[in-house]
Amino acid sequence: MILHLLTGALTGWSLIIAVGPQNALVLRQGIRREHLGVVLAICIIADVALIGLGTIGIGGLILLVPWLLTALKWLGAAYLVWFALITLRSAWHTTGLSADAQPRTRRQIVRTTLALTFLNPGVYLDTVVMVGNLANQQGADGRWWFMLGAMAASVSWFLVIGFGSRALAPVLAKPRLWQAIDVAIAVFIVVLAVRLVLS
């Protein structure tokens, strides 16, 4: 039981620790102290649900419908480019965290979080296909402990980066530093979009 739980947790952390658009958004909202609870709730619930679906065998269905992943790839790439442009615009107009002139509404943040979560084919490949397949290799009983370990890894990761970045917010209140963060996130997101298209 413990071995399956730890294996699931290590697998979950190894897949989620790579900074992607979803993680970048959690970091950004944590630093801004803007609707962080909503972002964390969406990311955690989505990951837990997708890991659960993969464990009960939905990953096989995704592999049988390759056009779905292709469609998600192009939608995801387009959305990533748009997100990068919005982030660059924010970098151009930023005044620091303490006096940000353009706060985002809860509805905008929810839309962005849902899009970055569900328009990213990597989410399905990692959580549904890969984690689901690995869970089902653990045997009839072991797969559920593996699934719980992967879910725990996801929950803990999002909480750490969300509230960890929030704790750094006072340090990052300077406009120049915030501009550099926004530019770095935008560049990284564009690189992800290019890799997604070429994959």
Side-chain angles (χ1 to χ4, degrees):
M1 175 185 89
I2 301 272
L3 180 62
H4 293 303
L5 197 66
L6 283 175
T7 306
L10 291 172
T11 301
W13 282 320
S14 69
L15 291 172
I16 201 170
I17 283 177
V19 177
Q22 193 184 46
N23 287 342
L25 179 69
V26 172
L27 287 168
R28 190 173 202 284
Q29 295 311 120
I31 291 169
R32 289 170 64 99
R33 298 183 178 203
E34 186 181 71
H35 308 299
L36 178 62
V38 173
V39 172
L40 288 174
I42 292 170
C43 292
I44 288 170
I45 291 168
D47 249 30
V48 165
L50 291 170
I51 290 168
L53 288 172
T55 304
I56 62 172
I58 302 299
L61 177 63
I62 288 177
L63 290 176
L64 291 174
V65 190
W67 64 265
L68 179 61
L69 280 178
T70 302
L72 286 171
K73 176 172 85 169
W74 288 103
L75 282 171
Y79 192 84
L80 288 176
V81 170
W82 177 82
F83 184 72
L85 291 173
I86 294 296
T87 304
L88 282 175
R89 188 180 74 178
S90 176
W92 183 263
H93 296 293
T94 193
T95 55
L97 291 177
S98 57
D100 195 346
Q102 295 181 331
R104 295 180 182 166
T105 66
R106 182 182 296 263
R107 180 175 291 184
Q108 289 172 319
I109 292 299
V110 166
R111 266 199 320 257
T112 300
T113 308
L114 288 172
L116 289 178
T117 300
F118 293 110
L119 289 180
N120 180 6
V123 169
Y124 300 99
L125 290 173
D126 287 349
T127 57
V128 180
V129 177
M130 191 177 295
V131 173
N133 286 337
L134 289 172
N136 285 298
Q137 292 174 19
Q138 308 300 312
D141 294 329
R143 71 177 179 159
W144 303 113
W145 291 107
F146 183 95
M147 177 193 76
L148 289 174
M151 288 176 173
S154 177
V155 171
S156 63
W157 172 252
F158 282 123
L159 291 176
V160 165
I161 65 170
F163 291 109
S165 62
R166 188 176 187 178
L168 293 175
V171 178
L172 300 170
K174 297 178 182 177
R176 283 268 187 228
L177 189 54
W178 189 241
Q179 284 176 322
I181 289 168
D182 271 342
V183 169
I185 288 173
V187 169
F188 184 74
I189 295 291
V190 169
V191 170
L192 283 176
V194 171
R195 285 182 58 196
L196 186 58
V197 168
L198 296 177
S199 66

